Amino acid sequence: MQAASRLPQSRLPMPGSRLRPPSQVKMPTPPTENPVTVANTTTTTKRLRSPESVVPIKKARLDSHVTKPRKPSTNGIKKALVTRSNSASNIGAKKVVVKAAPIKQNAPGRPANFSRPGGTTTNRRLLATKNTIDSAPATKPTAGLKTKRQPWDLKGRLEDLEKIYNESKVGKQQLANNLAENSTQLESVTVVNTQLQNNVHRLKETLEQVQASLQSTQKNYDDDMRIRNREIEDLKFKLMSVERQRDSLTGELTAAQKQTAGLQATVAQLTSAQAGISAELTVTKINLEHSLSEVRCLKAELVKEKEIIEDQNQCLMENETERRQLHNLVQELKGNIRVYCRVRPLLPEEHTKSEGEITHINFPDKDSKVLEIDTLNHSSLNESMVNTRKGSSQQPHEFNFDRVFNTTTTQQDVFKEISQLVQSALDGYNVSIFAYGQTGSGKTYTMEGVNSSRNDEEGVIPRSVRQIFETTTKLEEKGWKYQFEASFLEIYNETIRDLLGDGKEAKKHDIKMTGADGSSDVTVTNLIYVPVTSSSKVHKLLAKASENRAVAETKSNERSSRSHSVFRLKITGANETTSEACQGTLNLIDLAGSERIKDSKSEGARLKEAQAINLSLSHLGNVIMALANKESHIPYRNSKLTYLLQNSLGGNSKTLMFVNISPKESNIHESLCSLRFATKVNQCHIGTATKKVR
């Protein structure tokens, strides 16, 4: 009982416990500062059961036989581990310290082997050892022990505990011995490890030196290899070049050999033919000498003939120039108005069964100065005229003019004939060109042309303006400088209207004579004069005037001009080098066409316009008749048209009139009237035009 009292209460086994002796418990190897694995250092011992795993005794029996034991503690395990570590430190050369963390008492309701996650490595190992002891299976009791002691046999149970304690001491001594052996082995292993580490360090230094040397050698080798490869590539390139040159030379050699063979064959042929050719050459030389002598004679004769032809051509040109100059001089001395006649072609809708041929108008002469109109088969002529012609020698009507243009004449051909007259305006003369004829005869086409991109459709007005500006550019090289002012008006129902205005301001325009003697020049008041510097600007003015001009559709013409239009270009020139100055005016007039009211069937405003047009043209005819009869009084003031054209008809001006003829057989009466009127105009004497010098 005294021995039992000396043991810690935690060592006392509980009734019914299955504790094993210490010799059968497997104790874990304590950790060291430098862990080294050592084989065969564990000793198999019997495992101790944890006090928490003892089967509890029924409360009634425990109360009747034994006193209730205290709660078991883990202080005994702590002391055993500390004692083991102290004994190991005394035996081994190297001190091994195992620090055991205090094992806290588990809370009620938790298992005995419960531990929180984490913590130090030592705590985890101690807990693992404890769990191993707790989980060891129960063994059968030894032979010296009884199978089972009664609960009241406390002395027997105490003896069993003493035996277990002694056995655990023996196991502890064995573990201490094993720890000493392990420490000795650890020291030897540590020495060997130090030596090996020194050897490894020396080997590393040697390896680094060898690697550095190897890298240097490798670098030198790579450089040499690059140089050698570059040299090899250069040699390969040179080899390829040499091979190409060889192939080229081989081809050239082959071609040369073939050519040489061909030349040799050719030389053989030429040699064989040389003899025959030499003979023929001798004969040819003899013939050539005879031929050359004949050629020299013929050349001499040809030169003489050419000189004669050139002299004759020069004489013809001089005669033609002289003829033209004399003709112009005669016309100027006579003072007659030049008259050109133009017959327009048939329109597509005017073609009849004759397939577009005009049978009643003929152009008999080659000089294009005569026009014939055959009226025998025309049904519109009265019967008496036809019968009269049947009884007499029936001849067509023949008219002579300065120039007659047939239906195939182009706009360029027409302007070519009047270009010299336009040039006179730059020389300081007043030039007037006007178109006369019935409605639909092509007057507006002749004077203005067609508004299109084609230059070959331009009329007299745009072509005259372009020629004037082109000639002005050439005259600038000779010191001439020109200024131009343009105006455009129309006479509509005996009222003058400005075609360059905006049409909003209704200004009154009157015709007045200006100059020293009161009759030198004709001007219109309140008229817009626009300075122009190029033909393109004049073309814009013409387009604006064409939009503002009065036109309307009638039975005789789809686009009939209902007014007389007058384009005036005032030209002022000066030459600083020669101190010359001149002033001329170019008047381009498009007269409204005469029409028969019964044919046009005009009504209302169209009727009033037709009456005004016919009346003004009638006054124009009276003025022409008065000029032809050389009457003392010329009725210029009877009409705005004749008053405006006073200088063109009877003053100081070079005047040209186009008489336009319609090719339609239904208009033959109007054509005859126009041709007869033009003949009277051609016979009028208006005086010689003089140059205006400032």
Side-chain angles (χ1 to χ4, degrees):
M1 292 299 292
Q2 292 177 358
S5 63
R6 289 194 302 266
L7 291 174
Q9 191 174 357
S10 60
R11 294 286 185 178
L12 295 176
M14 295 297 294
S17 66
R18 300 170 60 186
L19 292 175
R20 290 171 293 174
S23 60
Q24 296 180 2
V25 179
K26 185 178 181 181
M27 298 301 292
T29 304
T32 60
E33 293 181 2
N34 293 323
V36 178
T37 304
V38 180
N40 299 325
T41 58
T42 58
T43 302
T44 303
T45 59
K46 291 184 179 181
R47 301 178 61 187
L48 297 175
R49 297 286 295 180
S50 174
E52 285 82 3
S53 62
V54 178
V55 180
I57 303 173
K58 294 181 180 181
K59 186 177 181 181
R61 294 175 61 185
L62 185 61
D63 294 339
S64 59
H65 298 284
V66 297
T67 306
K68 185 177 180 179
R70 292 180 299 174
K71 290 182 180 181
S73 67
T74 59
N75 294 330
I77 296 174
K78 291 179 184 181
K79 292 178 179 181
L81 292 176
V82 172
T83 304
R84 191 182 305 128
S85 64
N86 292 332
S87 61
S89 62
N90 295 327
I91 298 172
K94 191 174 182 180
K95 184 179 181 181
V96 179
V97 180
V98 179
K99 296 181 179 180
I103 299 175
K104 296 181 180 180
Q105 183 68 34
N106 289 331
R110 292 180 180 175
N113 60 353
F114 176 80
S115 64
R116 294 183 181 275
T120 62
T121 304
T122 305
N123 293 339
R124 286 197 299 270
R125 289 178 178 177
L126 293 175
L127 291 176
T129 303
K130 179 177 179 296
N131 293 334
T132 302
I133 296 173
D134 293 341
S135 61
T139 59
K140 294 180 180 182
T142 57
L145 298 177
K146 293 182 180 181
T147 304
K148 186 178 181 180
R149 292 183 182 276
Q150 296 297 326
W152 48 263
D153 191 2
L154 296 178
K155 183 178 180 179
R157 295 176 64 183
L158 183 59
E159 291 176 354
D160 294 337
L161 290 175
E162 287 179 352
K163 290 180 181 181
I164 293 171
Y165 177 71
N166 293 329
E167 291 176 358
S168 65
K169 280 185 177 181
V170 174
K172 178 180 177 181
Q173 186 64 34
Q174 293 177 356
L175 290 175
N177 296 333
N178 293 335
L179 181 59
E181 294 176 359
N182 291 337
S183 298
T184 304
Q185 293 179 1
L186 178 61
E187 289 178 358
S188 61
V189 169
T190 302
V191 172
V192 173
N193 185 27
T194 303
Q195 294 176 355
L196 292 175
Q197 286 180 354
N198 293 333
N199 294 334
V200 168
H201 181 67
R202 287 193 300 271
L203 291 175
K204 282 184 178 181
E205 291 179 352
T206 305
L207 179 62
E208 289 177 357
Q209 293 176 358
V210 172
Q211 286 179 348
S213 177
L214 181 61
Q215 289 178 357
S216 177
T217 305
Q218 182 67 29
K219 183 178 179 181
N220 295 333
Y221 175 75
D222 293 339
D223 294 339
D224 293 339
M225 285 298 296
R226 281 195 294 270
I227 295 171
R228 298 294 181 272
N229 291 333
R230 192 178 298 110
E231 292 176 353
I232 291 171
E233 291 177 357
D234 294 341
L235 292 174
K236 286 182 179 179
F237 180 76
K238 291 180 180 179
L239 178 61
M240 293 174 63
S241 300
V242 171
E243 289 178 351
R244 286 195 297 270
Q245 292 178 1
R246 183 199 62 189
D247 296 339
S248 177
L249 293 175
T250 302
E252 291 178 359
L253 179 60
T254 304
Q257 290 176 351
K258 292 181 179 179
Q259 187 176 4
T260 302
L263 291 175
Q264 289 176 353
T266 303
V267 168
Q269 294 176 359
L270 293 175
T271 303
S272 63
Q274 183 178 5
I277 294 174
S278 298
E280 293 178 358
L281 181 60
T282 304
V283 177
T284 303
K285 284 182 178 180
I286 297 172
N287 295 332
L288 180 60
E289 290 177 357
H290 291 291
S291 299
L292 289 175
S293 61
E294 292 178 0
V295 168
R296 283 193 292 269
C297 295
L298 292 174
K299 282 185 177 181
E301 294 178 1
L302 181 61
V303 169
K304 293 180 181 179
E305 294 295 333
K306 284 184 177 180
E307 290 177 355
I308 294 172
I309 292 172
E310 289 179 358
D311 293 339
Q312 291 179 352
N313 289 335
Q314 186 67 25
C315 292
L316 288 175
M317 292 176 62
E318 292 177 356
N319 293 335
E320 179 65 21
T321 302
E322 185 178 359
R323 186 191 66 80
R324 290 178 178 273
Q325 292 177 352
L326 292 174
H327 176 73
N328 291 334
L329 180 60
V330 169
Q331 292 296 323
E332 290 178 358
L333 291 175
K334 288 174 60 177
N336 291 352
I337 300 175
R338 301 179 190 181
V339 177
Y340 289 171
C341 177
R342 185 180 188 185
V343 182
R344 71 167 176 83
L346 286 172
L347 300 177
E349 60 271 11
E350 295 174 349
H351 290 179
T352 58
K353 296 181 180 179
S354 60
E355 298 181 354
E357 294 183 1
I358 304 173
T359 58
H360 63 288
I361 299 178
N362 300 319
F363 307 93
D365 66 327
K366 296 181 179 180
D367 294 335
S368 300
K369 292 185 177 181
V370 180
L371 175 69
E372 291 182 352
I373 295 183
D374 188 3
T375 59
L376 296 180
N377 298 325
H378 197 270
S379 59
S380 64
L381 297 178
N382 53 39
E383 192 177 62
S384 60
M385 182 180 293
V386 174
N387 293 332
T388 302
R389 287 193 174 275
K390 286 182 179 180
S392 61
S393 59
Q394 300 176 1
Q395 296 293 332
H397 296 276
E398 183 178 291
F399 300 93
N400 293 291
F401 299 106
D402 296 288
R403 190 73 163 82
V404 176
F405 301 105
N406 57 26
T407 56
T408 60
T409 306
T410 62
Q411 296 279 67
Q412 177 64 26
D413 296 335
V414 173
F415 182 73
K416 186 178 180 180
E417 292 294 328
I418 68 169
S419 59
Q420 295 302 319
L421 188 63
V422 175
Q423 178 66 30
S424 299
L426 281 174
D427 297 336
Y429 292 93
N430 290 336
V431 177
S432 299
I433 302 174
F434 62 94
Y436 176 86
Q438 69 184 82
T439 182
S441 60
K443 300 184 302 300
T444 303
Y445 177 76
T446 300
M447 297 302 294
E448 299 182 8
V450 179
N451 292 329
S452 66
S453 58
R454 295 175 54 186
N455 293 333
D456 57 348
E457 296 291 338
E458 291 182 341
V460 172
I461 296 177
R463 289 176 184 270
S464 300
V465 171
R466 185 167 62 251
Q467 176 183 316
I468 287 174
F469 281 99
E470 289 177 355
T471 307
T472 301
T473 303
K474 296 178 181 179
L475 292 176
E476 287 180 355
E477 299 176 357
K478 299 180 181 181
W480 284 94
K481 293 183 179 180
Y482 289 89
Q483 294 180 352
F484 303 92
E485 287 184 349
S487 64
F488 212 140
L489 60 86
E490 69 173 352
I491 301 175
Y492 176 76
N493 290 344
E494 288 299 307
T495 303
I496 297 177
R497 296 167 56 179
D498 191 355
L499 295 179
L500 300 182
D502 53 6
K504 297 180 180 179
E505 297 181 3
K507 294 182 179 180
K508 185 178 180 181
H509 303 282
D510 296 327
I511 301 174
K512 293 184 179 181
M513 305 299 296
T514 61
D517 55 355
S519 60
S520 62
D521 197 5
V522 178
T523 59
V524 180
T525 60
N526 299 325
L527 193 65
I528 297 176
Y529 292 90
V530 180
V532 291
T533 55
S534 63
S535 59
S536 60
K537 190 169 184 180
V538 176
H539 289 166
K540 292 180 181 179
L541 297 179
L542 295 178
K544 182 178 181 181
S546 179
E547 294 177 357
N548 295 333
R549 188 178 179 186
V551 294
E553 180 181 359
T554 64
K555 295 292 183 180
S556 302
N557 191 3
E558 293 182 356
R559 184 177 173 83
S560 176
S561 300
R562 313 309 293 169
S563 64
H564 310 295
S565 67
V566 180
F567 171 77
R568 303 187 71 187
L569 184 65
K570 186 177 180 181
I571 305 171
T572 304
N575 192 327
E576 297 179 356
T577 304
T578 61
S579 300
E580 292 181 291
C582 63
Q583 181 176 347
T585 305
L586 178 63
N587 299 293
L588 302 175
I589 305 151
D590 179 18
L591 299 177
S594 62
E595 61 181 66
R596 293 196 175 192
I597 298 177
K598 66 176 183 179
D599 294 336
S600 62
K601 298 180 182 181
S602 300
E603 298 178 355
R606 303 289 87 79
L607 177 60
K608 184 178 179 181
E609 293 169 354
Q611 291 174 348
I613 292 170
N614 291 336
L615 181 60
S616 61
L617 294 177
S618 176
H619 289 308
L620 178 61
N622 295 334
V623 170
I624 296 298
M625 290 298 296
L627 290 171
N629 296 331
K630 297 181 180 181
E631 297 179 1
S632 59
H633 174 69
I634 309 299
Y636 291 118
R637 293 179 179 270
N638 291 350
S639 169
K640 292 286 182 68
L641 175 63
T642 56
Y643 195 21
L644 185 64
L645 300 180
Q646 180 175 351
N647 284 348
S648 299
L649 298 175
N652 183 22
S653 177
K654 290 185 177 183
T655 306
L656 183 143
M657 185 185 81
F658 280 102
V659 55
N660 293 82
I661 302 301
S662 173
K664 297 172 62 176
E665 292 186 9
S666 58
N667 295 334
I668 193 170
H669 252 307
E670 289 79 3
S671 299
L672 288 173
C673 293
S674 299
L675 291 172
R676 288 167 182 160
F677 176 77
T679 302
K680 292 179 181 179
V681 172
N682 198 22
Q683 296 173 356
C684 291
H685 178 75
I686 62 174
T688 302
T690 58
K691 184 176 181 180
K692 294 177 64 177
V693 180
R694 292 187 302 166

